[in-house]
Amino acid sequence: MSEDTVYYVIGAEYRDTDFQNLVPGTSAVHGPFDKARADKVWQEMSMARVDECMVRYRVVDRDRLVNGRF
């Protein structure tokens, strides 16, 4: 990936720990960020909801986000 790659933090609350079915209205996309900032935002968001086992966040690059490969 080039230095021009941008990243997003995506996340949602899920119905169960299989992480396949979203709770409607809980999905969110934050960004764009450079990789270091995306990692920091991911860490902050994950730690803010660490006790909620049905919430998951991840960092994805723009190409994966656009193509739905996350």
Side-chain angles (χ1 to χ4, degrees), residues 12-25:
E13 182 177 349
Y14 292 83
R15 293 189 186 275
D16 56 38
T17 55
D18 288 336
F19 301 106
Q20 299 298 314
N21 298 308
L22 298 174
V23 173

